[in-house]
Each structure stands twice: as structure tokens, then as C-alpha cells.
Amino acid sequence: MTKWVYSFGPNGSDGREDMRQLLGGKGANLAEMASLHLPVPPGFTITTEVCAYQIKHGAYPDDLMQQVREALKSVENEVGHSFGDPENPLLVSVRSGAPVSMPGMMDTVLNLGLNDETVAGLARKSEDERFAFDSYRRFIQMFGDVVLGVEHHRFEDALEQYKDGKGYILDTELTADDWRELIEEYKAIVKADTGNPFPQDVHEQLWDSVGAVFGSWMNQRAKTYRRLHNIPEEWGTAVNVQAMVFGNMGEDCATGVAFTRDPSTGDNDFYGEFLPNAQGEDVVAGIRTPQPLTEHSREKNESDLPSMEQTMPEVYLQLCDVRAKLESHYLDMQDIEFTVQRGTLYMLQTRNGKRTAKAALKIAVDMVHDGLIGQEQAVQRVTPGSLDQLLHPTLDPDAEKDVISRGLPASPGAASGTIVFTADEAEQRAEQGEKVILCRAETSPEDIHGMHAAEGILTTRGGMTSHAAVVARGMGRPCVAGAGEIRIDTKSGTMRARDIELKAGDTITIDGGSGEIMRGRVPTVEPELSGDFATLMGWADKIRQLAVRTNAETPNDARTAVKFGAEGIGLCRTEHMFFESDRIVAVREMILADSAEGRRKPLERILPMQRDDFAQLFRIMRGLPVTIRLLDPPLHEFLPHEDSEMAEMAEATGLTVDEVRARANRLRETNPMLGHRGCRLGVTYPEIYEMQVRAIFEAACQVAEEAGETVEPEIMIPLVAIDRELKQLRELTDRVAAEVMEKHGRTVNYLVGTMIELPRACMTANHIAQHADFFSFGTNDLTQTAYGISRDDSASFLPSYEHQGIIERDPFITMDPDGVGALVQLAAERGRQTRPDIKLGICGEHGGDPDSIRQCQEVGLNYVSCSPFRVPIARLAAAQAALKAG
Ligand code: PEP
Ligand code: MG
């Protein structure tokens, strides 16, 4: 018999922490906490397998009902209340819990088990009528919204109207009788909206809620979140049913959330927020401003609200004890939820806390220094992609800034952009290349696409654990949350901070590290790469086997990459050096010439410029290998298009404008990506490659002479499909190299190799290797040609493929392991057959993608090469890949 239901509680747990795939993160950790004898209200988890079963069969497994009944029975026994009992009712919460946390994606129902009869029982038992009826109306509202699909503003409007009628301002002014009256209104709303009365049968309530949680796994918000985070749909969610504890039974009650260390900075400070006399989601909803947990953070944030340390010292000490136990057990920073019911602490959740990259680094490094974890574990604790957050600029401390307001420093980094007020607009404007700051009262899961598109996020309500703060930290977007002084008026498209009015489209800057909001664009400075960053990177470098090079052709990029730890240049795209405005005329002249002779003249003008380019790179790279790819332009990118350009070329060449146009037209190709590019150009116009090789070796000799540095150029021939192409161009390279070296009386050590970027090259790699000292996989072209999908046009249909689940990931971003990855593997094997010591690398975009780097490790490549800003990401990803490979 399959076990569909796992119990947890003070009497022990069926589940464990490592069962998160089956029990979801929340369920697995509730079970684990209960086993650690932490105060967890009893409950049970319905497994993710039930969700998958239900999606597949459209029904629950036959024996589920029986297992739920038994689990519920043992909860009743433990707390001494009965589900549906009018005298002594058990109330439960129903919450979702997927294998990985999906903040805000799934729904929660609290106070389930209340109806017209049990509410009276609750009133008697708690000796608090007001609390009982308040709980019931909350339940109707949540159940109505989440399970029955009644829009929640219907209930809120009714409440507001009721308050207006009575002249009340605050909810706390409503009496038990007021709630009683409102409950009748709420029930009427449900009846009017759904056609059915509010369900009084508690079992019906339970099963409907379970169904709604499973259903919410397939809602649009959840689907979008999964797509953005690559979470497979098959995983499903679990459902947790747990005995209710109440944080809203009076002033000796509270509810709160906390991180065992500061999730923004990583400092070893207990960091959290709580609300006295409040229930469930009140803290994250951002409606009331939460109070600080500790005196330390109250002082730090200059809050005038009292801390829990001050107002509930005993509970606070208990919570500190829980914090210590959890950290020493999980050996990681935890994000916890708790409730205090009449002075007693209950734990409702723990999970590894989301944190900024800065905090992740600090926590990992601190935990190694404290002997809690080892260096290898520390290296695995930091998500490579998140390092991006640290590599980007922060505000220039010397810049003038016009601070108009401030909020909480919810996610670090500085960002400038134009103000937009809706997620859709953020997305639309960002698509047109505009940098935007999404400004909202608060965000919800419906805003995720806009948050993703924005440079930064500003909210006027909510705390450090509000939706905006949590999601922005996860995405690495700067965020200032809870800027309470600012009023947003979406209708008029304005935003007001005291007497300053800003409009949609105005530019602002936010600093998610300080919480400041500034008018206009404020200059930024480059990040600091020492401290914890350098320490962790040092550990990663000791572990990794793959070398990390960079794709760079400009001195600026090369310098940045060296600063980030690049160990050489893996791809210098020389065609990018041809685009400079002072060269383009000479380049066009060369392309438009109709004879070798006609090409030589402009080439002679280009030669010294190329030589200087290479010399600069060699100087910056100081003896590190520099892979220079000979020209590989899709020709059309260089042709003159505009009339003015035609006229300019006519003057330069002495041809008429019509003749220039005719030659340009002759050179136009139907499929430039598959046209006269790469080594085909070198084969047909050898004088171009001769010039480039000459420039490389002259530069190498020159730099070696002036600096005494060894310079090790690696000459790379692009787009080879046939071994004879490479043979011929290698001979050309060796010949010109020998001539230059002889002239300078110097020997330069160099390699000649090829890019492997066509399927035929993979299949014939054993032949190609006869002429190649190295292969560098050009997986951009290899993906294009393996799929037969144009790199330039894929964006118009691949997203739809992803939506429809035909492909899981964009193969131009993450190497497709079954097709392109298999071709790489095969080419590596065949290349090594001919030349066992052949050097192997990758220089397609995949060289900076952590999942693709793992594949590179498996194939046993020597290095990956990626754009400068991805170098640290690649270093860390390579270390993780090495650890995974064992
Ligand atoms: C490639 O094809 O993967 C590559 C690196 O070359 P390019 O992107 O310049 O075609
Ligand atoms: Mg290519």
C-alpha cells in the first residue's frame, strides 16, 4: 500500500528533512523540527505524489481518504479537540509546500473547521467571543478567495462599508456582535457569487481546500514562476494540514518571521519582525508595520516600535534557543515562521533562508571560519549566477544625490531608471530597451514578470519579508521596500514624496543597500572584489579543474576579465575590431574590391591598426594565452546600406555610386549565417588572413621585445567543416609566422587550432585534429546548425516552444545535452583519438552558463571561455562541477 500521508508532531514524525521531494520543503522541515523536539503543532502532509496522481488521473488515490482520516484522528488525540465538534472544535491550517520554495505562489487557508456551530464552541473554549467570530470571518474570507474564487475585495469592501456606517477607523474597534453581523454579509456574498451557501460541513471544507492547493500548482502564477526558475511541472506540491495555533488571541499572542542571520548582509545577527495580536499572513501582507525582534535591530533601524526582546523577553529567549538549535542542526541560515499563543511559542516553518549574494558569501565564509562547514561545502552554498549581484556597480560615494525619501534596504545594488507603475508597462518598456524602476504600493505574484524586466523595485508598503523584498533578493534586483512616506497614484500616473511630485517616465535612482530614493540618475562605482568574495573564489580555484578564460577583444573588456580572474583570452573576435569608425571604410573597400590586388591596398592600411590592437591585448594579458580568431564576419554586417555610406565608398574607391551599389548587391546573401563567412573567407581571400597573421606575429614580437614578456598567441580558424580547409589555412599561418619571426629574429611559441562549430566538423574531428593543436567548441553556431535554427531568428518562436513544454530550456542559453552536448562529446573523443593531448575548450555563450559548464566538466574540456562579467560565475560553477563529478 502506498503511503500518501505523513504525520508529524510532538509524538514523532513519519518524515524527515531529506524527503523534500515527496513531502515538499515545508512538510519535510516540519517533520524534522518535530523530531528535534521543537514546539511544532501536530499535523500531517499529503505527499507530492498525490498531486502528480491527481493531475494524471483526475482523481485521488482510493485509499487517500482513509489515510487522511487516520492522520486527522491522531492530531485530534494529540491536541484534545475534535474536527467539527461543536463543543470543542479542532481547527486546522491548510498550506501548500512544493519541493523548492515558491514564495507567494501557492495559497493558504487558516482557521478551517469553523462553521455556524463550531464558532460558538471556539468562543466558549477561548472565552473570547470576539476572537472566535473574527477567526470565522477571516476563514470565510480566505476560503472564499482561495478555494471558491470570490474576489477578496468583495469582502474588504463590505468591511470598509460596515466600518464607515459605524464610524470605526480600525478593525480592532469591531465587537463580537459586529463580526457576527459581518459574517452574515460575508456568507451572503459567497452565496451571491457562487450560487451555493458557504459550506458548513468541515470535511467538505477540508477536501475543497486540499483540492484548491493542488489546483494552484497549475495556476498561471505558479507556471510563470516555474518557468523562470526551471522547476519541473511533474514535481507537484504537497499539502500540509496542521492544528491551528493563534497569534491573535490577545496581547500575549503574536506572529512573526525571522532569519537566523541577516539575509541582506550575512551578519550573524538574529533578524526578524513580529506583530502582536495578529494572525498568519499579517506580517508579510504589509498592512500593519511589523516590529523588530531584537533591540539591536530596533536601534540600528531607528525604529520607534518596541522589540520582542523588550516586550516578550521569555518568549524571545526561547526563540533564541530555537535559532541556535536550528543553525547547529541545519548548518545553514534558516528562515523561520512562528506564532506565540498566550505566551507559548510554536514553530510553523523553517527553511534555508533566501539571501543576497553578499550574505551568501559572508555566511559561507563565516561558517567555515567557525568550523561549522568545510571549504567544499562553502563553495556549494553560493549560487554561481547570484554573483552577478556583486559584480555590478553601487552608488558613487562622492556623487551628489538628491534624496527625496527612503525605505527599507530590501535588496542591495543601485539602479536608475524611469518610473513605471505597472508590471505590464515595465515589461513593455524594458523590451524596447528602456531601463525602468517598477514603483508599486506593494507587489504580488502577478507582478513577477514586471519585476524581472525592471532594473529595480520600489514599494511603499511592507517590510523586509514582504513579497517585493523576498522576490527581488531572489532575482538579484535592487529593491527599496516600505517607503511609507511616498504616495503612489496610479490613476494620475504620479508619485509624491512629501511636496515633491514625480510622474511616470521621470528618472529616479534607488539604492537597495541603504534604502535611499533619489531624483535623477546618480553615478555609480565598480564593486569591491576583495574580502569574502576573494576568499570564496580562492577556495573555488583550488577545487576546479576547468580553466576559465574570457571572450574579449577590447582592452576594456580584457582588463575587466583579468580583474575578475580570467586565465587567458579564449576568443578574440577580430571582426569586432573592424567595426571601429576609423576602419570601416577600409574594411568595406576590401570587401567590395574585385581582385586580390584591390584588397591588398586597404589591408595594408588595416594592418598597423590590427597590430596595435593585438599588442594592447598581449600587454594586458601579460603572458597569459590569447586566442585570436581570424576573421569570421557574416559579410552582410559590413556592407554599406545607406545612400550616404554608398557615396562615402564611391569616393574612397573611385567607383561610381551605382557601381558600389551593384557590387554590394552581388555580395548580398540569402542566408548570411550559412554563407561566405568563417574560414571560407580565408580560403577564397587568403590575403585577409595573411594580413591578420602578420599583425599577430608582429605584435607578439614587438611586445616580447619591449617587455620581455612571453606572448603565446593561439591562432584559431573559424567554421571549419572539412579537414582540408584547416590544412590549407594552417600552412598559410605557419608560413607567415615563420616569415615574421625570421624578420624579427625571434621565436614566438604559438598554437594553431580550430573552432568546432559545425556538425560535420564533429563527425570528422579525428581528421581535423591532424592539423589542429586545439579545438574550441563554438556552441553558438553548433546549436544553430545542429537544430537548423537561425541564431538571429530563434527568439520569434523558441519562447512558444518553451511555453508548450516542447523544450525545457533555450538551447542557445544552456547547452542541449542530448544533441549539441553529444556532438561535443563525440568530437572530443574523435579529436583525442588522433591527438591524445589536444587542448579542448569552449567559447560559445554556454561557456558562462553553470549547467553547460557541468557538461563541459563531464566531457573533460580543459577550459571554458565566457564574457568578462561571467568569469567569476564560471570559476564558481567549475568548482561546483568538479565537486559534483567527485
Ligand atoms: C560560436 O559560434 O559559438 C562562437 C563562439 O562564434 P560566434 O558566436 O562569433 O559565431
Ligand atoms: Mg561561431
Side-chain angles (χ1 to χ4, degrees):
M1 196 178 79
T2 313
K3 186 169 171 59
W4 306 110
V5 176
Y6 285 68
S7 292
F8 57 82
N11 292 339
S13 301
D14 298 340
R16 282 188 321 270
E17 173 204 351
D18 60 4
M19 292 165 78
R20 56 176 44 237
Q21 199 63 42
L22 182 67
L23 303 181
K26 191 182 292 244
N29 284 322
L30 280 169
E32 189 77 9
M33 277 201 293
S35 300
L36 292 172
H37 303 295
L38 296 177
V40 176
F44 55 89
T45 304
I46 305 177
T47 67
T48 56
E49 285 178 354
V50 176
C51 184
Y53 186 103
Q54 206 260 352
I55 291 171
K56 193 161 167 211
H57 302 279
Y60 294 130
D62 285 343
D63 42 355
L64 177 67
M65 187 96 83
Q66 177 59 26
Q67 292 189 23
V68 166
R69 204 173 297 134
E70 284 164 16
L72 194 58
K73 187 91 223 135
S74 61
V75 175
E76 289 177 332
N77 290 342
E78 278 179 61
V79 295
H81 303 290
S82 298
F83 195 50
D85 180 349
E87 291 308 317
N88 187 18
L90 168 72
L91 304 190
V92 296
S93 64
V94 177
R95 297 176 209 255
S96 64
V100 292
S101 101
M102 292 172 57
M105 288 293 118
M106 311 290 287
D107 302 307
T108 297
V109 179
L110 302 178
N111 307 337
L112 190 142
L114 281 174
N115 58 24
D116 293 352
E117 290 187 347
T118 56
V119 69
L122 179 67
R124 275 193 301 278
K125 271 273 169 204
S126 63
E127 297 171 2
D128 188 343
E129 250 203 324
R130 186 186 179 281
F131 154 75
F133 285 95
D134 179 21
S135 299
Y136 190 20
R137 71 91 196 176
R138 284 172 186 260
F139 171 51
I140 299 175
Q141 186 166 346
M142 247 187 254
F143 188 92
D145 174 19
V146 174
V147 181
L148 303 175
V150 181
E151 288 193 28
H152 60 95
H153 77 85
R154 303 272 322 262
F155 300 110
E156 271 147 30
D157 291 350
L159 173 58
E160 286 311 312
Q161 260 179 25
Y162 188 90
K163 277 164 45 181
D164 284 350
K166 292 270 182 174
Y168 296 154
I169 309 269
L170 300 172
D171 288 6
T172 43
E173 293 173 62
L174 276 83
T175 63
D177 283 336
D178 291 325
W179 287 129
R180 209 180 256 123
E181 266 183 58
L182 257 171
I183 283 165
E184 291 313 312
E185 278 191 43
Y186 277 19
K187 288 198 290 192
I189 291 172
V190 169
K191 179 89 203 291
D193 239 61
T194 65
N196 293 311
F198 186 78
Q200 293 291 313
D201 178 338
V202 294
H203 292 281
E204 187 183 329
Q205 293 173 355
L206 177 63
W207 285 101
D208 284 355
S209 300
V210 170
V213 171
F214 285 144
S216 72
W217 176 253
M218 297 303 283
N219 74 23
Q220 204 47 52
R221 292 181 339 207
K223 282 184 177 172
T224 304
Y225 189 90
R226 284 201 291 274
R227 186 161 48 76
L228 290 173
H229 293 83
N230 297 308
I231 299 167
E233 191 159 295
E234 311 80 75
W235 284 6
T237 179
V239 181
N240 298 292
V241 179
Q242 189 175 22
M244 282 295 305
V245 283
F246 297 95
N248 58 337
M249 270 186 177
E251 289 307 314
D252 54 352
C253 302
T255 181
V257 294
F259 293 90
T260 55
R261 298 183 188 218
D262 188 319
S264 237
T265 62
D267 287 339
N268 196 356
D269 294 331
F270 199 12
Y271 186 88
E273 296 164 333
F274 80 109
L275 275 177
N277 200 7
Q279 187 171 44
E281 315 301 277
D282 293 354
V283 181
V284 278
I287 295 161
R288 273 165 64 191
T289 302
Q291 299 173 206
L293 211 59
T294 65
E295 276 299 282
H296 175 72
S297 74
R298 188 185 62 76
E299 283 158 17
K300 200 163 131 196
N301 295 321
E302 293 170 21
S303 165
D304 41 19
L305 297 167
S307 69
M308 180 182 235
E309 188 173 359
Q310 201 180 358
T311 56
M312 296 184 162
E314 277 168 28
V315 176
Y316 173 74
L317 282 181
Q318 238 181 309
L319 201 57
C320 289
D321 187 44
V322 169
R323 171 197 183 206
K325 278 206 177 107
L326 286 175
E327 274 218 351
S328 66
H329 179 73
Y330 284 95
L331 299 176
D332 201 356
M333 185 265 268
Q334 297 294 296
D335 164 0
I336 59 178
E337 283 178 24
F338 59 88
T339 283
V340 181
Q341 176 176 304
R342 299 204 163 143
T344 306
L345 175 71
Y346 292 96
M347 297 306 300
L348 299 184
Q349 169 157 311
T350 189
R351 59 183 170 189
N352 290 340
K354 283 203 191 304
R355 61 203 81 177
T356 62
K358 183 174 168 210
L361 279 174
K362 178 155 177 50
I363 292 169
V365 171
D366 282 356
M367 285 193 162
V368 171
H369 289 151
D370 292 344
L372 291 171
I373 59 174
Q375 292 179 5
E376 293 188 351
Q377 250 175 316
V379 161
Q380 284 163 306
R381 285 281 169 87
V382 180
T383 310
S386 74
L387 292 180
D388 204 32
Q389 290 174 36
L390 302 176
L391 308 178
H392 288 287
T394 47
L395 286 188
D396 178 350
D398 298 329
E400 290 223 354
K401 46 187 191 183
D402 175 9
V403 178
I404 53 171
S405 192
R406 65 181 70 230
L408 298 168
S411 176
S416 301
T418 48
I419 296 172
V420 295
F421 293 120
T422 68
D424 287 344
E425 195 178 348
E427 193 175 56
Q428 282 153 19
R429 285 181 179 255
E431 265 166 21
Q432 285 155 19
E434 193 171 325
K435 293 188 186 322
V436 301
I437 305 289
L438 178 61
C439 304
R440 310 214 18 99
E442 57 202 327
T443 63
S444 75
E446 276 96 357
D447 296 319
I448 296 231
H449 61 294
M451 298 172 76
H452 210 252
E455 297 294 310
I457 296 135
L458 167 67
T459 67
T460 58
R461 285 214 294 251
M464 291 290 279
T465 45
S466 63
H467 179 266
V470 171
V471 173
R473 280 201 292 274
M475 283 180 180
R477 296 286 179 285
C479 175
V480 173
E485 210 176 57
I486 293 186
R487 294 278 168 273
I488 291 179
D489 183 352
T490 316
K491 265 202 210 109
S492 66
T494 56
M495 182 166 113
R496 178 174 280 282
R498 283 168 293 156
D499 51 350
I500 302 164
E501 189 175 272
L502 296 165
K503 297 184 301 300
D506 289 350
T507 298
I508 54 166
T509 299
I510 59 168
D511 182 353
S514 70
E516 287 170 335
I517 301 152
M518 290 140 280
R519 208 179 346 205
R521 188 173 302 281
V522 179
T524 50
V525 289
E526 293 303 314
E528 184 59 61
L529 298 175
S530 52
D532 296 331
F533 179 87
T535 306
L536 193 97
M537 281 298 164
W539 295 338
D541 290 345
K542 278 195 296 185
I543 293 165
R544 73 185 156 90
Q545 291 147 4
L546 283 162
V548 177
R549 297 190 184 185
T550 191
N551 295 357
E553 42 277 333
T554 67
N556 236 348
D557 279 358
R559 268 187 222 106
T560 306
V562 169
K563 200 175 69 189
F564 287 159
E567 296 163 298
I569 289 181
L571 172 64
C572 162
R573 290 177 162 107
T574 52
E575 59 278 8
H576 288 190
M577 300 167 144
F578 281 38
F579 277 118
E580 310 267 315
S581 57
D582 57 342
R583 319 185 175 179
I584 187 77
V585 172
V587 174
R588 285 189 173 138
E589 214 177 308
M590 171 190 84
I591 288 170
L592 292 173
D594 57 0
S595 67
E597 216 25 64
R599 278 186 293 276
R600 283 220 163 83
K601 254 191 10 229
L603 281 170
E604 273 164 27
R605 299 211 312 274
I606 298 169
L607 174 83
M609 305 186 211
Q610 280 263 277
R611 189 174 52 218
D612 287 351
D613 291 336
F614 297 138
Q616 277 206 62
L617 285 185
F618 292 148
R619 284 187 201 109
I620 294 166
M621 298 312 290
R622 310 192 59 171
L624 294 172
V626 177
T627 310
I628 297 168
R629 180 175 76 184
L630 302 186
L631 198 63
D632 174 18
L635 265 189
H636 69 296
E637 288 182 12
F638 288 106
L639 291 177
H641 298 279
E642 310 290 327
D643 285 349
S644 60
E645 291 170 348
M646 299 278 181
E648 189 181 25
M649 289 319 299
E651 201 185 313
T653 53
L655 299 169
T656 66
V657 171
D658 283 343
E659 280 169 327
V660 170
R661 184 170 291 113
R663 285 197 189 178
N665 281 342
R666 230 180 14 246
L667 287 167
R668 255 177 247 290
E669 293 175 316
T670 312
N671 288 313
M673 272 294 184
L674 302 176
H676 194 178
R677 58 177 282 229
C679 68
R680 297 158 201 170
L681 211 64
V683 168
T684 48
Y685 301 157
E687 53 283 354
I688 300 180
Y689 278 16
E690 279 172 17
M691 179 279 289
Q692 290 196 292
V693 175
R694 190 171 301 280
I696 294 168
F697 282 87
E698 286 182 359
C701 289
Q702 185 186 325
V703 173
E705 268 158 36
E706 70 189 28
E709 294 272 14
T710 47
V711 176
E712 287 186 25
E714 300 186 359
I715 319 293
M716 183 153 79
I717 313 293
L719 219 72
V720 164
I722 309 162
D723 56 328
R724 290 192 68 93
E725 289 171 326
L726 182 61
K727 179 169 188 288
Q728 194 162 316
L729 293 170
R730 173 167 199 137
E731 283 164 8
L732 175 153
T733 307
D734 288 339
R735 174 171 52 77
V736 177
E739 273 171 39
V740 177
M741 289 192 289
E742 191 180 332
K743 195 169 137 212
H744 284 256
R746 284 200 165 259
T747 313
V748 174
N749 286 328
Y750 69 98
L751 303 178
V752 181
T754 180
M755 296 195 63
I756 297 288
E757 47 188 343
L758 295 171
R760 191 180 192 282
C762 296
M763 304 309 289
T764 61
N766 46 337
H767 300 298
I768 292 176
Q770 288 173 341
H771 315 292
D773 301 321
F774 66 87
F775 287 169
S776 176
F777 289 96
T779 43
N780 303 334
D781 274 308
L782 191 56
T783 302
Q784 164 169 268
T785 48
Y787 275 88
I789 291 177
S790 151
R791 289 159 69 168
D792 292 344
D793 302 313
S794 66
S796 63
F797 53 91
L798 274 190
S800 167
Y801 269 50
E802 268 185 271
H803 274 131
Q804 294 185 52
I806 295 173
I807 54 169
E808 266 177 34
R809 320 273 300 260
D810 181 337
F812 287 103
I813 295 173
T814 296
M815 187 154 77
D816 143 49
D818 303 327
V820 177
L823 282 167
V824 168
Q825 162 102 37
L826 180 124
E829 280 165 12
R830 293 194 176 176
R832 286 195 192 110
Q833 269 167 26
T834 304
R835 201 183 274 247
D837 61 346
I838 191 164
K839 194 189 266 188
L840 300 174
I842 182 174
C843 63
E845 285 306 301
H846 305 94
D849 170 67
D851 284 335
S852 311
I853 290 171
R854 193 156 11 93
Q855 298 179 50
C856 295
Q857 166 84 30
E858 281 163 17
V859 176
L861 299 191
N862 300 94
Y863 68 86
V864 298
S865 188
C866 56
S867 60
F869 271 91
R870 298 199 76 82
V871 166
I873 296 172
R875 286 163 69 193
L876 184 56
Q880 293 182 354
L883 289 171
K884 183 141 197 274

